[in-house]
């Protein structure tokens, strides 16, 4: 007689006696993320003021934008930052099993247009080809710059949505990681610690301090919790340009010892991994995934340095549905 080993169904309690659902316990973790199909390019009405890259030429001229912004530019950045944050909070309400990332992209694209804003990622120049969508949607082991496609979200996924809007001549850049349905305990801890890393990085951004104070605070908290800090992508100066030459590493970098000055605007956007922090790029030239397939989470804010300390420019009108404030 043959002894059959019958495994439980996904929602039955695990064979090991933990009392936890099998799918949340010993069932092999989800399959690696694979690329789905892309929908056609979404047009932007002529009435919306566009950045230079909106022509799809895959290159644009950068200029030497001052790190310290004029008060009038800061006022515009406050407004655009809030619009980006409100858009992100809205997209978060759409996250659910079965929804495709392309549907979320369509919603982001329309929300930007409704706000009379350009979705900054759309046709942004890249090493191979311009970015083809209006939001970045990074699932599970995707570190950043995941391209929205036909893949339906699965119960247990984590999803980072990164929204940048261009309005009134300035950019507002913000992201958050959302849970899709019921997520395993380790992923929940990863996302919570990543949020805390972002908070600690922001709190370390003090006038008179040094740029590398930010990465030191982030790295200390991530590594104390056994997690890794991604090196391949950094925070950046932002304003009239999406990315200026100011770099904000999320780990301690001794050379980045420039003084933090009032009037500076930059992003803090740590990507934190359960395993190896090293990444590799898909052949699309955009999607960055962890080398070991471990999950990665991220939160991002556009921050202004004031005399009193850091001010988050990407706070939504209603913080009640946004994971940065509710987790
Ligand atoms: N929003 C991303 C950042 O935080 C950049 C996205 S560039 C894109 O810097 F082309 F992928 F959209
Ligand atoms: Co950014
Ligand atoms: Co971003």
């Amino acid at each position: 007689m043959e002894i059959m080993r019958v495994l439980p169904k996904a929602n039955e309690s695990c064979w090991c006696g933990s009392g936890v659902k099998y799918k949340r316990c010993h069932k092999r973790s989800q399959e690696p993320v694979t690329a789905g199909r892309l929908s056609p390019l979404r047009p932007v009405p002529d009435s919306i003021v566009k950045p230079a890259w909106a022509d799809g030429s895959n290159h644009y001229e950068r200029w030497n934008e001052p790190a310290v912004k004029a008060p009038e530019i800061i006022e515009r950045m406050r407004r655009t930052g809030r619009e980006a944050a409100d858009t992100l909070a809205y997209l978060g309400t759409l996250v659910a099993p079965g929804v495709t990332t392309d549907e979320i992209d369509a919603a982001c694209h329309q929300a930007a247009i409704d706000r009379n804003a350009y979705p900054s990622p759309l046709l942004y120049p890249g090493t191979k080809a311009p970015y083809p969508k209006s939001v970045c949607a990074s699932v599970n082991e995707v570190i950043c710059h995941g391209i929205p496609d036909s893949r339906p979200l699965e119960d247990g996924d984590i999803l980072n949505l990164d929204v940048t809007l261009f309005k009134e001549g300035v950019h507002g850049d913000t992201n958050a990681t959302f849970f899709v349905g019921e997520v395993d305990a380790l992923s929940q801890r990863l996302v919570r610690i990543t949020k805390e890393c972002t908070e600690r990085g922001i709190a370390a951004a003090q006038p008179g301090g040094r740029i590398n104070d930010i990465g030191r605070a982030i790295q200390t908290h991530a590594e104390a919790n056994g997690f890794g800090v991604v090196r391949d992508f950094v925070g950046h100066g932002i304003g009239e340009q999406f990315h200026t030459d100011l770099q904000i590493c999320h780990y301690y970098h001794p050379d980045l010892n420039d003084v933090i000055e009032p009037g500076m605007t930059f992003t803090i956007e740590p990507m934190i991994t359960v395993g190896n922090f090293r990444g590799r790029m898909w052949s699309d030239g955009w999607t960055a995934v962890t080398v070991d397939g471990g999950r990665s989470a991220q939160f991002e804010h556009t921050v202004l340095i004031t005399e009193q300390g850091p001010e988050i420019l990407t706070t939504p009108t209603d913080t009640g549905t946004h994971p940065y404030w509710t987790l």
Side-chain angles (χ1 to χ4, degrees):
M1 191 177 85
E2 198 182 1
I3 297 174
M4 298 282 286
R5 180 130 182 224
V6 179
L7 291 172
K9 294 216 170 65
N11 280 314
E12 290 170 1
S13 50
C14 192
W15 52 261
C16 73
S18 64
V20 174
K21 284 178 186 173
Y22 173 53
K23 69 179 180 187
R24 300 278 162 253
C25 195
H26 276 88
K27 189 172 187 294
R28 267 191 63 84
S29 61
Q30 280 153 319
E31 295 294 308
V33 176
T34 53
R37 290 178 312 280
L38 295 203
S39 61
L41 181 69
R42 298 191 159 90
V44 178
D46 286 343
S47 57
I48 288 176
V49 179
K50 301 175 183 66
W53 57 82
D55 63 4
S57 60
N58 203 33
H59 60 258
Y60 73 107
E61 294 296 316
R62 287 206 187 185
W63 54 284
N64 204 348
E65 183 174 343
V68 173
K69 310 299 181 203
E72 170 270 323
I73 291 186
I74 290 170
E75 276 317 303
R76 288 191 264 147
M77 290 188 72
R78 281 206 176 90
R79 291 192 290 270
T80 301
R82 175 178 294 258
E83 301 233 35
D86 286 346
T87 302
L88 177 62
Y90 156 63
L91 296 183
T93 68
L94 308 179
V95 173
V99 175
T100 69
T101 50
D102 186 62
E103 290 174 293
I104 294 173
D105 182 73
C108 182
H109 189 84
Q110 191 58 47
I113 291 169
D114 291 347
R115 291 173 181 278
N116 214 8
Y118 183 88
S120 309
L122 188 61
L123 299 177
Y124 189 72
T127 50
K128 277 193 166 177
Y131 189 81
K133 293 291 160 194
S134 299
V135 69
C136 297
S138 302
V139 176
N140 299 345
E141 72 272 21
V142 179
I143 296 170
C144 64
H145 304 163
I147 299 173
D149 64 18
S150 60
R151 179 189 183 278
L153 294 169
E154 291 175 15
D155 186 34
D157 284 347
I158 60 171
L159 169 68
N160 180 276
L161 294 174
D162 191 343
V163 172
T164 311
L165 296 188
F166 180 68
K167 186 177 178 180
E168 293 190 64
V170 294
H171 298 269
D173 186 6
T174 185
N175 75 46
T177 302
F178 299 89
F179 298 135
V180 182
E182 217 184 304
V183 168
D184 68 89
L186 176 60
S187 296
Q188 287 187 35
R189 195 168 71 85
L190 171 71
V191 174
R192 183 172 50 79
I193 297 297
T194 304
K195 186 201 81 158
E196 291 172 6
C197 284
T198 310
E199 290 173 331
R200 288 176 185 230
I202 293 169
Q206 294 293 337
R210 306 279 171 165
I211 292 289
N212 58 18
D213 293 344
I214 299 165
R216 188 198 285 113
I218 291 166
Q219 184 176 17
T220 300
H221 192 54
E223 291 178 358
N225 284 280
F227 294 142
V229 179
V230 169
R231 270 67 160 162
D232 292 349
F233 302 91
V234 298
H236 49 92
I238 182 169
E240 295 174 270
Q241 297 178 101
F242 194 168
H243 301 98
T244 73
D245 54 11
L246 175 62
Q247 299 210 341
I248 313 293
C249 285
H250 303 111
Y251 57 97
Y252 178 70
H253 195 309
D255 298 346
L256 295 179
N257 59 359
D258 284 359
V259 174
I260 299 172
E261 291 176 60
M264 284 182 161
T265 52
F266 50 77
T267 72
I268 298 176
E269 49 179 302
M271 287 139 275
I272 306 298
T273 60
V274 292
N276 197 317
F277 61 75
R278 287 193 175 78
R280 64 179 171 84
M281 184 88 83
W282 281 4
S283 59
D284 61 18
W286 284 105
T287 309
V289 295
T290 58
V291 287
D292 62 3
R295 288 185 171 194
S296 177
Q298 184 181 25
F299 286 84
E300 173 177 29
H301 283 299
T302 298
V303 172
L304 164 72
I305 306 303
T306 76
E307 307 276 355
Q308 286 72 44
E311 175 187 330
I312 298 176
L313 297 183
T314 41
T315 302
T317 308
D318 173 11
T319 55
T321 58
H322 191 298
Y324 185 82
W325 285 273
T326 58
L327 261 184

